[in-house]
Amino acid sequence: MHERKSKGSKKKVCEDDDEYQPSMDDNLLSSSSEDDNDDLEEVTRMAPGRRSKNVTPSTSVPEMRILVASNQPPQCTRSELPYPEPSSIAQPDQLESPQTIGSSVGSVPSARRNVRGATRGKGTERLVRQLGHAISVPIPSSSGAPEGEHATSLANEIGKEIRTSAPVRNCGWDNIDAGIREAIITRVRTKSDKAKVSRSKLPYNHISGSRSFAAAMLLIERLVNKTIEQSQPEVTSPMNEFEISIEVLGRRPGYLKGYGIHLRGSSSTRLKAQLQVGFYANTCPQAEFIVRSEVQRALSGNAGLGAGLVRMHFHDCFVRGCDGSVLIDSTSSNTAEKDSPINNPSLRGFEVIDNAKTRLEAACSGVVSCADILAFAARDSVAWTGGFRYQVPAGRRDGRVSLSSDTFTNLPGPSLGVSQLTQSFANKGLTQDEMVTLSGAHTLGRSHCTSFSNRLYSFNSTVSQDPTLDPTYAAFLKRQCPQGSNDTSLVVPMDPGSPTRFDASYYNNIIANRGLFTSDQSLGSDSGTSSQVRANAFNGGLWKSKFSQAMVKMGKIGVLTGSDGEIRKNCRVIN
Ligand code: HEM
């Protein structure tokens, strides 16, 4: 550990001493602006389920031909009949000219025959209930007809639809006006498509779930009711979301916590797995607790490590996605990300991840990925230093590649301006607002002098010192980072007033022209971002909330899930 003396205060400053606060001798005003929302927690709430009255089995109808057998003479051609649009299709008794196509009046023979009644689709309904999912019926374009064991079910379903919307029983399909036929087909298709759209809007995955739609809706309703019940003021020790999920859903591997659906399906229905909050609830329930306790232990000894872990997660996600590649050690044949000059010697906190991993391997071997440990640790660092605690969707898997060269093209540098920063974040699917929000992480931690000394001594060919930098602050920085010093371990706090507090003072610093990097300061002068800087400075609670959301989004960049990648046994080494 490097030690040096601060010129002004004569206080010894260690490289890892983030509690160092410049004294008044340093002529630096604190610009901390504590907001009073520190106790707030941001909780991702479960979206209430949408209720749908109609439960329609999905039938795949890529191409269809419907034959309605009939012995009746053709009486049904009425091309002048304006067939209503599918959405406004009338019921049989509302149709204009019943004798034309109706089955109950007009041309229907009056004599009662002892025939089997038309199917009411009960069998199909029962089958769908038993299977727990919609029936898929292939209609190959070669034959143009439904095939397979459920072909009859589809035909029945279509027949039912036709009877209720356009009775053609006694006309014969071939004898019906082409326009009317087209409208009937459109209606059947629309019904199926509408059901598909409704399902796609559901807050859970209906297609790959093993429950019937109705059963899943019931569970969602129970979850919502339970959540509301538990949030009532008279409930003294409310259940958390895990407990609610377990009570309502029971313990079952693979559950999407809080949504009651498990993602395993047949290989044909399996979707690419998504990150899930509570991913380890069944496989390693203590996972998040272990990480949190390791982070707390580490930060109690050196609060600055919190900054290190937040930055490490950012550097992991921006290079090859959040796959823990930043944690991999170099080998004799490969210089890994962590040994790029962008990361070495500035990245810190690796040992916190190692310690958590060791404990997790002892508790549940081969289950918790290093990428997830890092995502949890970053969240715990934000929370520990005063940010909002947010829920981290997990299920990331670890990558097997880590290249130093990747860091240069993916990580933004401190000399960038707003448009380049915006582009850099856009490349990762993040907005300009999220870029401004996430940059607020510079309220924590420190920087090596080498990262910004150009602003003090070699700004451009005309001026040596960046004119946008507050002169008092520049003088302070110059004392901390003497010109010509080749001590690469010299560091300064990025938010000198409160380097270990997750507060909005970063934005106040920018407003006071005390942003440490060009990348920070430019956010305050650009017309597209300056209003966000002011808004975040003004409302620290809102910024913290936005920060949590942006971290969740950043944590999803390029993740490996399902069977991709691996679960490293040792975060430093590929299995
Ligand atoms: C907007 C573009 C960004 C640039 C150009 C940038 C650049 C830098 C640089 C140059 C340092 C100092 C490294 C050193 O010399 O020690 C630093 C530190 C830090 N950065 Fe960023 N950063 C950016 C965005 C972010 C984001 C998005 C986060 C997290 C969400 C973040 C978190 C941090 C933290 C916490 C530190 C302090 C690390 C420590 O104390 O160990 N940065 N950043």
Side-chain angles (χ1 to χ4, degrees):
M1 183 183 297
H2 171 77
E3 283 191 353
R4 67 182 170 78
K5 286 190 177 183
S6 158
K7 219 176 173 187
S9 64
K10 304 283 181 275
K11 179 186 187 293
K12 277 198 163 188
V13 182
C14 302
E15 185 179 352
D16 282 342
D17 181 2
D18 289 88
E19 296 302 344
Y20 165 63
Q21 308 264 335
S23 74
M24 292 306 282
D25 293 348
D26 290 330
N27 274 335
L28 197 75
L29 302 172
S30 162
S31 55
S32 166
S33 76
E34 304 305 325
D35 41 70
D36 42 14
N37 288 316
D38 288 355
D39 293 329
L40 282 177
E41 284 212 337
E42 213 242 333
V43 179
T44 308
R45 296 217 179 273
M46 186 177 60
R50 276 164 51 91
R51 311 234 33 195
S52 168
K53 280 186 216 142
N54 293 323
V55 181
T56 311
S58 160
T59 47
S60 163
V61 195
E63 205 179 287
M64 80 182 121
R65 182 186 306 160
I66 308 169
L67 298 170
V68 184
S70 168
N71 296 323
Q72 301 304 314
Q75 296 181 16
C76 303
T77 319
R78 264 199 74 204
S79 48
E80 74 277 13
L81 178 74
Y83 201 88
E85 285 300 304
S87 57
S88 60
I89 284 185
Q91 293 306 301
D93 57 349
Q94 296 171 311
L95 285 172
E96 255 183 68
S97 183
Q99 82 271 29
T100 309
I101 56 173
S103 61
S104 54
V105 283
S107 62
V108 182
S110 57
R112 283 193 61 161
R113 286 193 300 153
N114 203 10
V115 293
R116 194 176 165 200
T119 178
R120 286 174 295 155
K122 294 274 181 204
T124 310
E125 265 175 38
R126 200 176 316 117
L127 187 61
V128 169
R129 240 191 343 265
Q130 280 165 3
L131 289 172
H133 56 74
I135 306 168
S136 163
V137 182
I139 305 181
S141 49
S142 51
S143 67
E147 282 183 10
E149 55 174 329
H150 300 307
T152 320
S153 303
L154 172 64
N156 287 345
E157 191 63 20
I158 294 170
K160 195 178 86 181
E161 188 58 34
I162 289 171
R163 276 195 311 283
T164 51
S165 55
V168 293
R169 190 180 171 83
N170 303 298
C171 307
W173 180 253
D174 290 340
N175 298 318
I176 293 188
D177 181 271
I180 297 175
R181 280 206 308 246
E182 189 54 43
I184 294 174
I185 291 171
T186 306
R187 180 179 158 90
V188 175
R189 279 183 198 272
T190 308
K191 189 175 171 190
S192 174
D193 289 345
K194 268 186 190 161
K196 235 182 262 171
V197 171
S198 307
R199 283 194 302 277
S200 72
K201 286 181 187 157
L202 290 169
Y204 57 81
N205 177 6
H206 181 56
I207 294 164
S208 68
S210 67
R211 289 182 187 281
S212 74
F213 179 86
M217 293 310 294
L218 196 66
L219 281 177
I220 297 244
E221 192 175 310
R222 278 200 219 135
L223 279 166
V224 171
N225 288 343
K226 194 80 197 167
T227 308
I228 294 169
E229 178 194 302
Q230 290 297 307
S231 61
Q232 298 306 307
E234 63 273 14
V235 179
T236 44
S237 54
M239 299 162 93
N240 63 28
E241 282 188 61
F242 280 115
E243 291 161 339
I244 293 174
S245 296
I246 287 167
E247 179 168 312
V248 176
L249 308 171
R251 286 183 184 275
R252 196 164 149 190
Y255 264 136
L256 222 175
K257 189 190 83 62
Y259 294 91
I261 297 298
H262 76 93
L263 283 173
R264 284 187 210 140
S266 69
S267 56
S268 59
T269 58
R270 196 177 297 137
L271 300 180
K272 186 168 164 47
Q274 306 230 319
L275 301 184
Q276 300 165 27
V277 171
F279 182 80
Y280 298 108
N282 295 297
T283 51
C284 190
Q286 64 275 54
E288 296 194 40
F289 171 79
I290 289 177
V291 175
R292 183 166 14 168
S293 75
E294 279 306 318
V295 168
Q296 287 176 346
R297 196 160 66 91
L299 269 60
S300 308
N302 177 3
L305 288 174
L309 291 166
V310 173
R311 182 171 182 239
M312 199 188 287
H313 184 40
F314 161 51
H315 283 208
D316 186 30
C317 293
F318 266 51
V319 182
R320 290 188 171 269
C322 315
D323 67 345
S325 53
V326 72
L327 303 166
I328 294 174
D329 279 351
S330 296
T331 62
S332 55
S333 58
N334 179 55
T335 307
E337 288 171 32
K338 62 161 60 162
D339 287 322
S340 140
I342 296 177
N343 287 331
N344 189 356
S346 56
L347 268 195
R348 53 179 173 163
F350 293 106
E351 65 284 1
V352 184
I353 305 299
D354 290 339
N355 292 342
K357 181 64 173 172
T358 304
R359 282 180 63 188
L360 285 166
E361 283 301 298
C364 17
S365 177
V367 171
V368 185
S369 70
C370 299
D372 276 348
I373 297 174
L374 182 50
F376 294 143
R379 179 272 312 273
D380 296 335
S381 299
V382 169
W384 198 86
T385 52
F388 292 169
R389 190 168 183 79
Y390 52 90
Q391 294 189 316
V392 175
R396 297 168 190 79
R397 295 185 46 100
D398 297 324
R400 296 192 179 97
V401 178
S402 180
L403 304 172
S404 162
S405 53
D406 281 341
T407 61
F408 305 112
T409 44
N410 289 288
L411 293 169
S415 308
L416 298 190
V418 170
S419 60
Q420 295 158 305
L421 292 169
T422 305
Q423 185 58 56
S424 166
F425 277 64
N427 292 345
K428 305 295 170 189
L430 297 170
T431 65
Q432 186 180 66
D433 188 31
E434 285 159 347
M435 182 270 288
V436 176
T437 300
L438 288 169
S439 295
H442 288 177
T443 185
L444 294 177
R446 63 179 197 198
S447 169
H448 288 73
C449 294
T450 44
S451 295
F452 58 88
S453 54
N454 66 312
R455 295 187 78 196
L456 305 175
Y457 302 115
S458 54
F459 187 61
N460 60 30
S461 54
T462 325
V463 286
S464 57
Q465 186 174 308
D466 185 343
T468 65
L469 195 58
D470 170 56
T472 310
Y473 185 47
F476 161 78
L477 292 172
K478 281 180 165 173
R479 283 197 297 280
Q480 309 299 315
C481 305
Q483 185 169 22
S485 165
N486 47 19
D487 186 347
T488 52
S489 61
L490 284 184
V491 292
V492 296
M494 294 201 288
D495 170 17
S498 54
T500 57
R501 261 200 90 61
F502 194 85
D503 55 28
S505 50
Y506 165 80
Y507 296 104
N508 285 296
N509 292 342
I510 290 176
I511 291 168
N513 293 325
R514 290 181 184 160
L516 187 56
F517 306 134
T518 301
S519 58
D520 298 322
Q521 195 55 53
S522 64
L523 302 181
S525 48
D526 184 273
S527 58
T529 53
S530 60
S531 57
Q532 288 155 47
V533 167
R534 282 196 302 278
N536 291 344
F538 181 73
N539 189 341
L542 181 66
W543 164 66
K544 286 182 187 183
S545 162
K546 280 167 52 180
F547 186 87
S548 299
Q549 289 167 33
M551 284 292 275
V552 170
K553 186 165 169 195
M554 185 182 86
K556 293 179 179 170
I557 296 173
V559 291
L560 301 172
T561 57
S563 54
D564 295 342
E566 63 183 22
I567 304 294
R568 252 176 259 147
K569 291 183 181 11
N570 173 348
C571 293
R572 293 174 180 266
V573 187
I574 296 159
N575 285 348

